[in-house]
mmCIF file of all heavy atoms in Angstrom:
data_model
loop_
_atom_site.group_PDB
_atom_site.id
_atom_site.type_symbol
_atom_site.label_atom_id
_atom_site.label_comp_id
_atom_site.label_asym_id
_atom_site.label_seq_id
_atom_site.Cartn_x
_atom_site.Cartn_y
_atom_site.Cartn_z
ATOM 1 N N ALA A 18 -24.950 264.507 136.533
ATOM 2 C CA ALA A 18 -24.806 265.852 135.955
ATOM 3 C C ALA A 18 -24.468 265.823 134.463
ATOM 4 O O ALA A 18 -23.916 266.773 133.936
ATOM 5 C CB ALA A 18 -23.777 266.666 136.719
ATOM 6 N N CYS A 19 -24.787 264.732 133.786
ATOM 7 C CA CYS A 19 -24.587 264.702 132.332
ATOM 8 C C CYS A 19 -25.794 265.349 131.663
ATOM 9 O O CYS A 19 -26.524 266.090 132.289
ATOM 10 C CB CYS A 19 -24.417 263.263 131.866
ATOM 11 S SG CYS A 19 -22.824 262.578 132.366
ATOM 12 N N GLU A 20 -26.021 264.993 130.441
ATOM 13 C CA GLU A 20 -27.115 265.590 129.691
ATOM 14 C C GLU A 20 -28.455 265.252 130.322
ATOM 15 O O GLU A 20 -28.595 264.307 131.054
ATOM 16 C CB GLU A 20 -27.085 265.061 128.257
ATOM 17 C CG GLU A 20 -25.857 265.458 127.499
ATOM 18 C CD GLU A 20 -25.880 264.871 126.097
ATOM 19 O OE1 GLU A 20 -26.962 264.682 125.546
ATOM 20 O OE2 GLU A 20 -24.806 264.604 125.581
ATOM 21 N N ASP A 21 -29.436 266.043 129.955
ATOM 22 C CA ASP A 21 -30.801 265.800 130.410
ATOM 23 C C ASP A 21 -31.333 264.564 129.697
ATOM 24 O O ASP A 21 -30.931 264.245 128.588
ATOM 25 C CB ASP A 21 -31.665 267.025 130.080
ATOM 26 C CG ASP A 21 -33.005 266.964 130.769
ATOM 27 O OD1 ASP A 21 -33.086 266.369 131.853
ATOM 28 O OD2 ASP A 21 -33.970 267.518 130.212
ATOM 29 N N LEU A 22 -32.253 263.844 130.331
ATOM 30 C CA LEU A 22 -32.825 262.638 129.730
ATOM 31 C C LEU A 22 -33.888 263.038 128.714
ATOM 32 O O LEU A 22 -35.073 263.067 129.006
ATOM 33 C CB LEU A 22 -33.424 261.733 130.807
ATOM 34 C CG LEU A 22 -32.436 261.111 131.767
ATOM 35 C CD1 LEU A 22 -33.171 260.291 132.814
ATOM 36 C CD2 LEU A 22 -31.447 260.252 131.036
ATOM 37 N N ASN A 23 -33.461 263.321 127.509
ATOM 38 C CA ASN A 23 -34.387 263.774 126.475
ATOM 39 C C ASN A 23 -35.309 262.664 126.000
ATOM 40 O O ASN A 23 -36.436 262.926 125.621
ATOM 41 C CB ASN A 23 -33.610 264.341 125.281
ATOM 42 C CG ASN A 23 -32.824 265.570 125.658
ATOM 43 O OD1 ASN A 23 -33.253 266.347 126.505
ATOM 44 N ND2 ASN A 23 -31.653 265.751 125.053
ATOM 45 N N GLY A 24 -34.859 261.422 125.997
ATOM 46 C CA GLY A 24 -35.652 260.324 125.477
ATOM 47 C C GLY A 24 -36.563 259.691 126.501
ATOM 48 O O GLY A 24 -37.182 258.679 126.237
ATOM 49 N N PHE A 25 -36.670 260.279 127.680
ATOM 50 C CA PHE A 25 -37.461 259.675 128.751
ATOM 51 C C PHE A 25 -38.735 260.464 128.974
ATOM 52 O O PHE A 25 -38.714 261.688 129.086
ATOM 53 C CB PHE A 25 -36.634 259.628 130.040
ATOM 54 C CG PHE A 25 -37.366 258.981 131.168
ATOM 55 C CD1 PHE A 25 -37.660 257.637 131.123
ATOM 56 C CD2 PHE A 25 -37.761 259.720 132.266
ATOM 57 C CE1 PHE A 25 -38.336 257.039 132.158
ATOM 58 C CE2 PHE A 25 -38.433 259.126 133.301
ATOM 59 C CZ PHE A 25 -38.715 257.781 133.247
ATOM 60 N N ASP A 26 -39.843 259.765 129.040
ATOM 61 C CA ASP A 26 -41.147 260.383 129.247
ATOM 62 C C ASP A 26 -41.545 260.234 130.714
ATOM 63 O O ASP A 26 -41.896 259.141 131.158
ATOM 64 C CB ASP A 26 -42.163 259.724 128.324
ATOM 65 C CG ASP A 26 -43.519 260.408 128.363
ATOM 66 O OD1 ASP A 26 -43.614 261.503 128.940
ATOM 67 O OD2 ASP A 26 -44.467 259.838 127.803
ATOM 68 N N GLU A 27 -41.482 261.333 131.456
ATOM 69 C CA GLU A 27 -41.809 261.300 132.878
ATOM 70 C C GLU A 27 -43.254 260.905 133.128
ATOM 71 O O GLU A 27 -43.558 260.192 134.075
ATOM 72 C CB GLU A 27 -41.564 262.670 133.509
ATOM 73 C CG GLU A 27 -40.127 263.084 133.590
ATOM 74 C CD GLU A 27 -39.980 264.474 134.184
ATOM 75 O OE1 GLU A 27 -40.913 264.956 134.858
ATOM 76 O OE2 GLU A 27 -38.926 265.077 133.981
ATOM 77 N N ASP A 28 -44.144 261.372 132.257
ATOM 78 C CA ASP A 28 -45.558 261.059 132.445
ATOM 79 C C ASP A 28 -45.841 259.574 132.250
ATOM 80 O O ASP A 28 -46.691 259.004 132.933
ATOM 81 C CB ASP A 28 -46.415 261.891 131.488
ATOM 82 C CG ASP A 28 -46.370 263.374 131.834
ATOM 83 O OD1 ASP A 28 -46.176 263.700 133.029
ATOM 84 O OD2 ASP A 28 -46.529 264.204 130.922
ATOM 85 N N ALA A 29 -45.137 258.940 131.331
ATOM 86 C CA ALA A 29 -45.317 257.492 131.130
ATOM 87 C C ALA A 29 -44.815 256.722 132.343
ATOM 88 O O ALA A 29 -45.415 255.722 132.739
ATOM 89 C CB ALA A 29 -44.590 257.038 129.872
ATOM 90 N N TYR A 30 -43.728 257.200 132.949
ATOM 91 C CA TYR A 30 -43.197 256.553 134.151
ATOM 92 C C TYR A 30 -44.207 256.672 135.295
ATOM 93 O O TYR A 30 -44.522 255.683 135.965
ATOM 94 C CB TYR A 30 -41.871 257.205 134.536
ATOM 95 C CG TYR A 30 -41.220 256.620 135.760
ATOM 96 C CD1 TYR A 30 -40.562 255.407 135.702
ATOM 97 C CD2 TYR A 30 -41.262 257.288 136.978
ATOM 98 C CE1 TYR A 30 -39.957 254.860 136.816
ATOM 99 C CE2 TYR A 30 -40.668 256.754 138.100
ATOM 100 C CZ TYR A 30 -40.010 255.541 138.018
ATOM 101 O OH TYR A 30 -39.423 255.014 139.126
ATOM 102 N N ALA A 31 -44.729 257.865 135.499
ATOM 103 C CA ALA A 31 -45.713 258.071 136.565
ATOM 104 C C ALA A 31 -46.992 257.292 136.285
ATOM 105 O O ALA A 31 -47.590 256.716 137.201
ATOM 106 C CB ALA A 31 -46.018 259.558 136.715
ATOM 107 N N ALA A 32 -47.402 257.253 135.026
ATOM 108 C CA ALA A 32 -48.617 256.519 134.669
ATOM 109 C C ALA A 32 -48.453 255.027 134.927
ATOM 110 O O ALA A 32 -49.408 254.356 135.338
ATOM 111 C CB ALA A 32 -48.975 256.766 133.213
ATOM 112 N N SER A 33 -47.261 254.508 134.701
ATOM 113 C CA SER A 33 -47.019 253.096 134.965
ATOM 114 C C SER A 33 -47.125 252.797 136.455
ATOM 115 O O SER A 33 -47.709 251.785 136.848
ATOM 116 C CB SER A 33 -45.640 252.695 134.442
ATOM 117 O OG SER A 33 -45.348 251.371 134.757
ATOM 118 N N LEU A 34 -46.576 253.675 137.286
ATOM 119 C CA LEU A 34 -46.668 253.470 138.727
ATOM 120 C C LEU A 34 -48.114 253.589 139.209
ATOM 121 O O LEU A 34 -48.603 252.754 139.982
ATOM 122 C CB LEU A 34 -45.786 254.473 139.461
ATOM 123 C CG LEU A 34 -44.277 254.321 139.262
ATOM 124 C CD1 LEU A 34 -43.542 255.421 140.017
ATOM 125 C CD2 LEU A 34 -43.797 252.960 139.695
ATOM 126 N N TRP A 35 -48.799 254.631 138.756
ATOM 127 C CA TRP A 35 -50.191 254.830 139.151
ATOM 128 C C TRP A 35 -51.088 253.742 138.577
ATOM 129 O O TRP A 35 -52.047 253.318 139.227
ATOM 130 C CB TRP A 35 -50.690 256.203 138.713
ATOM 131 C CG TRP A 35 -50.307 257.277 139.659
ATOM 132 C CD1 TRP A 35 -49.312 258.185 139.506
ATOM 133 C CD2 TRP A 35 -50.895 257.551 140.926
ATOM 134 N NE1 TRP A 35 -49.243 259.003 140.605
ATOM 135 C CE2 TRP A 35 -50.206 258.642 141.486
ATOM 136 C CE3 TRP A 35 -51.939 256.978 141.642
ATOM 137 C CZ2 TRP A 35 -50.533 259.159 142.729
ATOM 138 C CZ3 TRP A 35 -52.261 257.508 142.885
ATOM 139 C CH2 TRP A 35 -51.562 258.580 143.411
ATOM 140 N N GLY A 36 -50.798 253.305 137.358
ATOM 141 C CA GLY A 36 -51.621 252.268 136.732
ATOM 142 C C GLY A 36 -51.598 250.975 137.509
ATOM 143 O O GLY A 36 -52.628 250.308 137.661
#
Side-chain angles (χ1 to χ4, degrees):
C19 288
E20 296 179 30
D21 192 29
L22 293 178
N23 296 327
F25 182 67
D26 186 11
E27 292 178 20
D28 293 331
Y30 180 76
S33 176
L34 293 178
W35 277 103

